[in-house]
Amino acid sequence: MKIYTKTGDKGETSLFGGARVGKDHVRIDAYGTVDETNAVIGVCRSMVRHAELDSILEEIQNDLFVVGAVLAAQGEGAAKVAGIPPGAVSRLERHIDAISERIPPLSQFILPGGDGAAAMLHFARTVCRRAERLTVHLGRKEQVPPECITYLNRLSDLLFVCARWVNALTNTLETKWDSTRKG
């Protein structure tokens, strides 16, 4: 199989189901940003030195392929794509709850950063939030399974606590936001 097809050379691409749309279509933007989230999580995995967290991130990467496929499907193609597995969102919530018990409670906002892997997890969170916003935008125009939005929303929460967990594991202090600071 060749990696290039030349079918997108004029700014269009195919969705699952065969429909052709512009590469600037909101559907392409939404699932492209899910793919970007997945790639950033891959960078995070290359930096994380904790087996349990790496396993969680690998699960997420597999889930994100499904989310992307669901968003890339339209019409007849949508019926052929397996949806987000039942229980995927509750699995994320269980991870959030378990990790939250291992990190100090928040009393104020923190600045994204800290350990390099934690900073990258914060970055993954912001890319995930963008994917969520674009998926919501798509859902205002076309049919989007609501579990896609729920999954992305919960995933960004999980990435936040994962970043905090990495900082805790590496004994890296989190920088609290100074709301009194004047520019």
Side-chain angles (χ1 to χ4, degrees):
M1 176 176 143
K2 287 187 176 184
I3 195 70
Y4 60 91
T5 62
K6 300 183 182 181
T7 60
D9 290 351
K10 294 190 173 150
E12 289 190 344
T13 192
S14 294
L15 299 173
F16 290 152
R20 302 277 301 164
V21 296
K23 290 186 176 186
D24 58 349
H25 189 281
V26 66
R27 183 173 293 278
I28 307 307
D29 219 6
Y31 79 73
T33 308
V34 169
D35 184 40
E36 188 179 347
T37 303
N38 204 340
V40 175
I41 290 171
V43 174
C44 294
R45 289 187 64 205
S46 76
M47 300 171 78
V48 165
R49 300 292 173 247
H50 190 269
E52 183 182 358
L53 178 54
D54 182 63
S55 177
I56 291 168
L57 295 175
E58 183 178 358
E59 280 178 353
I60 291 165
Q61 285 189 293
N62 281 290
D63 288 347
L64 287 174
F65 260 90
V66 175
V67 173
V70 168
L71 294 175
Q74 188 179 42
E76 295 174 16
K80 296 177 182 176
V81 174
I84 296 170
V89 171
S90 60
R91 179 175 27 87
L92 296 180
E93 291 169 347
R94 284 191 304 275
H95 288 314
I96 292 167
D97 293 342
I99 293 168
S100 293
E101 291 178 10
R102 301 176 188 181
I103 57 178
L106 274 179
S107 58
Q108 66 186 86
F109 289 111
I110 58 168
L111 301 179
D115 178 82
M120 189 56 69
L121 284 159
H122 278 295
F123 180 58
R125 173 185 55 82
T126 65
V127 176
C128 182
R129 284 284 189 211
R130 182 163 29 99
E132 179 189 4
R133 290 190 304 271
L134 289 165
T135 302
V136 167
H137 181 65
L138 173 62
R140 297 200 192 292
K141 297 174 181 264
E142 300 180 23
Q143 186 82 13
V144 170
E147 59 270 15
C148 287
I149 296 166
T150 304
Y151 184 90
L152 293 169
N153 182 277
R154 211 66 83 250
L155 175 57
S156 63
D157 294 336
L158 176 57
L159 292 169
F160 178 76
V161 297
C162 285
R164 297 197 64 229
W165 188 25
V166 168
N167 280 332
L169 289 168
T170 59
N171 295 312
T172 304
L173 292 177
E174 295 176 312
T175 305
K176 295 177 180 170
W177 174 51
D178 181 0
S179 61
T180 64
R181 191 176 187 150
K182 306 260 184 211

